Amino acid sequence: MKKILFLIMILAAISVFAGKYENELTERMKVAEEKAEAGWDTGVRSEMVNASLDLDNEWDKELNNVYNLILKKLPAKEKVKFKAEQQWIKDRETKVQKAYDKYEAEEGPRMAGELAASERLSITKDRALQLAKRYDKLNK
């Protein structure tokens, strides 16, 4: 009972601090994340990598959706700046390649693919949530 009450309190706190779009995004992604968890839980490397890549694709779709919503809200001058921020995509690819190289040297090529896919997922998810927060700020 205490655990349930604690969980309810945490969820309430999250909803107070997070915006509407961010909350909706997080809720929509729960199904995709649960599906990925099932893939990760198999212990089969190919399924684990595919689960990370599939979830990354879902987060990327959401990221593109919120990106376009933000673009619609911004005035022309700010759109130019906002579009310039998309350098993060190249940075993501560089970080993923560096992670792959590092993991390949430390863990071998089989493990490197799994860990690099996880790194890519983390970066994409973080960026999608950043944009969701930004969109929520635009709507206040």
Side-chain angles (χ1 to χ4, degrees), residues 71-136:
L71 271 181
K72 289 178 185 175
K73 289 253 181 203
L74 292 175
K77 282 185 179 179
E78 289 185 42
K79 282 182 184 181
V80 172
K81 274 196 234 176
F82 183 61
K83 287 179 180 181
E85 289 177 24
Q86 297 317 300
Q87 174 65 31
W88 78 272
I89 295 170
K90 290 179 184 174
D91 294 342
R92 174 184 63 184
E93 298 313 315
T94 301
K95 288 177 184 176
V96 170
Q97 185 60 52
K98 284 182 181 178
Y100 181 87
D101 294 343
K102 175 186 174 218
Y103 296 135
E104 184 178 37
E106 293 174 0
E107 307 287 338
R110 291 181 138 202
M111 199 63 183
E114 177 186 335
L115 295 170
S118 178
E119 181 79 18
R120 180 183 168 91
L121 167 60
S122 176
I123 295 168
T124 304
K125 179 179 178 177
D126 288 348
R127 181 63 178 168
L129 292 172
Q130 287 171 1
L131 291 182
K133 288 176 185 170
R134 190 168 181 173
Y135 182 71
D136 283 335

Side-chain angles (χ1 to χ4, degrees), residues 2 9 20 24 30-31 38 40 51 54 61 74 119 136:
K2 288 181 182 179
M9 289 174 43
K20 183 179 180 196
E24 291 170 356
K30 281 184 181 178
V31 172
W40 297 327
D54 290 346
K61 287 178 194 173
L74 292 175
E119 181 79 18
D136 283 335

Side-chain angles (χ1 to χ4, degrees), residues 29-74:
M29 290 305 295
K30 281 184 181 178
V31 172
E33 289 186 340
E34 287 170 3
K35 184 178 176 185
E37 286 277 341
W40 297 327
D41 289 345
T42 65
V44 177
R45 267 200 182 78
S46 62
E47 289 185 34
M48 294 168 76
V49 170
N50 287 336
S52 291
L53 293 174
D54 290 346
L55 184 55
D56 181 67
N57 286 335
E58 291 301 315
W59 274 107
D60 199 47
K61 287 178 194 173
E62 292 291 345
L63 187 149
N64 287 323
N65 288 339
V66 71
Y67 174 83
N68 288 322
L69 289 170
I70 291 171
L71 271 181
K72 289 178 185 175
K73 289 253 181 203
L74 292 175

